[in-house]
Amino acid sequence: MANLNIDSVSPKRAYELANEIVKMRNIPFFFHGRPGIGKSDIVEQLAKANNMNLEILMLTQIDSQDLRGIQYPDAASKRMVYYPPEFLPGPESPPTLLFLDELTGAEPRLQVSAYQLLLSRRIGSYKLPDNCYVCAAGNGPADGAIAYEMGTALASRLLHISVQAEPRSWIEWALANGIHNSIITLIQLKGDLLEQTDSQLDRGDLIGPNPRAWARASSILHSVGVQNRSIAEPLVEGLVGKSAAADLFLTAEEMKDLPSPEKILAMDDKEFGKIVPKSIPSLYGLTYSLVAYASDLTEMRKAIKFLDITVERAKDLPAADCMSLGMELLMEKAIKSKLDNQLMESKEFLDNYDKIKDVYSVSSNGKEK
């Protein structure tokens, strides 16, 4: 088995790297990564960021004839020629990102045709337009998916990016996309549950966690309700496996008495003091709830104030770590909302700045205190 001798990067970093390559247009890249890691989502972001149409070819769902096109006789030249398929961009097409997904899982004959698109930008007489960028992704034989080895002849002509799930990066995404709070808290506490482990793959487990599965599990929890465990747990188990699902519902059980973030942010200091978490899962659950729900300057300031109260009252828990984490995430959220200068000038932020200065560089955002 060939060794992928490059460092793996988070999906966020993979996007940053690939975005630079897409702008160059002439170097095709290949995303390596386990199923459900978010490779397709990254490509969708790339197409949107570069104002390109996205054409996704799932190569495990077509055969080589579908990619090459229909053969027909040309009376004028007295030759057999091909009509290219409609999903390949033509001369009149707008800028297009052509994504060859599941390339390593395609049957060998189809891979040959796909390699022509990647390496020569053509198949037979068909040629990709100059405004089309082509890239690909796939799993390796060791990833628990049906896959063929990539030969060195092809590998030497591609830029390779190995994508690996990274808990902190995924949590930032999860907070912005409404992922259920109990799942975010679980991944904070047990980052190895974000994706299937090597030991699970070696054991031959068919079902295991990955970022895509957790996003789907979140939809189930929002729809069924985390407290409706007799229904929710078997459904989640079918997505992430028995062990990961059990850990999730144990975490949810410890968080069950935590009020909604809307109710928390409507409390005064005295009321909040009565619900200060007494367990680590509920502590992290509170932190992520406040960060996810706080949407304006007033709510962000109140969230910092409540985190400060938690530090004072939950001395036997890692409340200071949660304070730093919460303030850092709130600042990142404020930057996206263009509220960072106002938040940095607030009393709550300034009073607690010492608790985050080691983990967050305010000066990097153009302002020092």
Side-chain angles (χ1 to χ4, degrees):
M1 184 184 299
N3 177 41
L4 187 61
N5 54 323
I6 57 175
D7 290 332
S8 295
V9 297
S10 70
K12 182 178 180 180
R13 181 62 173 161
Y15 167 80
E16 293 172 350
L17 297 173
N19 195 39
E20 292 301 317
I21 297 302
V22 171
K23 293 174 183 176
M24 297 172 62
R25 294 289 197 266
N26 61 343
I27 303 177
F29 71 77
F30 187 96
F31 277 152
H32 299 261
R34 289 177 176 172
I37 201 71
K39 302 184 293 293
S40 300
D41 292 336
I42 299 172
V43 174
E44 289 181 14
Q45 294 175 44
L46 290 170
K48 184 176 180 180
N50 289 276
N51 297 313
M52 304 176 78
N53 281 1
L54 178 60
E55 189 69 55
I56 301 176
L57 300 186
M58 301 292 291
L59 295 183
T60 53
Q61 299 177 13
I62 62 176
D63 60 36
S64 57
Q65 186 63 41
D66 293 330
L67 193 58
R68 189 173 180 87
I70 301 284
Q71 193 176 42
Y72 73 99
D74 178 39
S77 65
K78 296 182 179 181
R79 292 175 178 271
M80 297 299 290
V81 296
Y82 286 87
Y83 277 130
E86 63 176 358
F87 51 72
L88 290 179
E92 74 291 343
S93 299
T96 301
L97 197 160
L98 180 63
F99 179 41
L100 309 180
D101 200 6
E102 299 183 358
L103 174 57
T104 49
E107 54 95 9
R109 286 185 59 194
L110 176 56
Q111 284 191 17
V112 172
S113 297
Y115 292 165
Q116 284 186 289
L117 276 178
L118 281 166
L119 306 181
S120 305
R121 295 179 58 84
R122 65 187 307 149
I123 297 180
S125 60
Y126 168 80
K127 185 178 180 181
L128 283 172
D130 292 340
N131 65 354
C132 178
Y133 178 82
V134 61
C135 61
N139 314 119
D143 293 330
I146 297 174
Y148 299 91
E149 285 277 4
M150 179 184 294
T152 54
L154 171 64
S156 66
R157 291 170 170 82
L158 298 172
L159 186 146
H160 300 265
I161 300 175
S162 176
V163 189
Q164 185 175 38
E166 192 278 314
R168 177 57 188 272
S169 178
W170 184 82
I171 285 171
E172 290 178 10
W173 173 86
L175 286 168
N177 287 272
I179 299 300
H180 198 277
N181 192 36
S182 60
I183 295 176
I184 297 176
T185 301
L186 174 66
I187 301 305
Q188 169 66 39
L189 298 173
K190 296 186 176 183
D192 60 322
L193 289 180
L194 181 54
E195 66 174 338
Q196 201 164 18
T197 63
D198 290 337
S199 62
Q200 289 173 313
L201 291 171
D202 292 342
R203 206 164 51 232
D205 289 354
L206 179 63
I207 304 168
N210 60 57
R212 179 172 58 205
W214 283 123
R216 291 175 174 174
S218 173
S219 298
I220 289 174
L221 296 187
H222 284 307
S223 176
V224 177
V226 71
Q227 300 306 326
N228 189 2
R229 188 166 176 173
S230 64
I231 298 296
E233 187 165 6
L235 295 176
V236 171
E237 189 175 301
L239 289 168
V240 301
K242 185 174 182 178
S243 178
D247 282 334
L248 172 63
F249 282 90
L250 286 174
T251 301
E253 181 68 22
E254 292 201 46
M255 295 170 56
K256 68 179 182 179
D257 295 326
L258 196 65
S260 69
E262 183 178 12
K263 290 181 179 178
I264 294 173
L265 287 172
M267 295 176 177
D268 58 30
D269 294 0
K270 185 176 180 180
E271 290 175 310
F272 177 76
K274 296 177 181 178
I275 63 137
V276 169
K278 295 179 174 58
S279 70
I280 292 177
S282 58
L283 177 64
Y284 278 100
L286 169 70
T287 304
Y288 287 121
S289 290
L290 293 175
V291 170
Y293 190 82
S295 59
D296 59 31
L297 183 62
T298 299
E299 290 175 343
M300 290 179 183
R301 291 176 62 179
K302 196 165 189 179
I304 293 174
K305 186 177 183 180
F306 283 172
L307 289 172
D308 187 31
I309 293 174
T310 301
V311 172
E312 294 300 320
R313 302 204 177 190
K315 297 185 182 297
D316 294 332
L317 299 175
D321 291 343
C322 286
M323 177 77 181
S324 298
L325 174 65
M327 288 185 67
E328 185 179 359
L329 292 172
L330 284 168
M331 179 54 70
E332 291 173 359
K333 193 171 185 179
I335 290 171
K336 293 177 182 178
S337 304
K338 298 182 178 180
L339 296 171
D340 49 315
N341 285 335
Q342 293 170 273
L343 184 61
M344 288 161 60
E345 292 169 354
S346 69
K347 181 179 185 301
E348 290 80 7
F349 184 91
L350 293 173
D351 286 349
N352 293 283
Y353 171 62
D354 285 343
K355 297 170 185 174
I356 69 161
K357 65 181 180 181
D358 292 334
V359 293
Y360 186 82
S361 175
V362 176
S363 60
S364 68
N365 292 289
K367 187 160 186 170
E368 287 194 32
K369 294 292 181 185

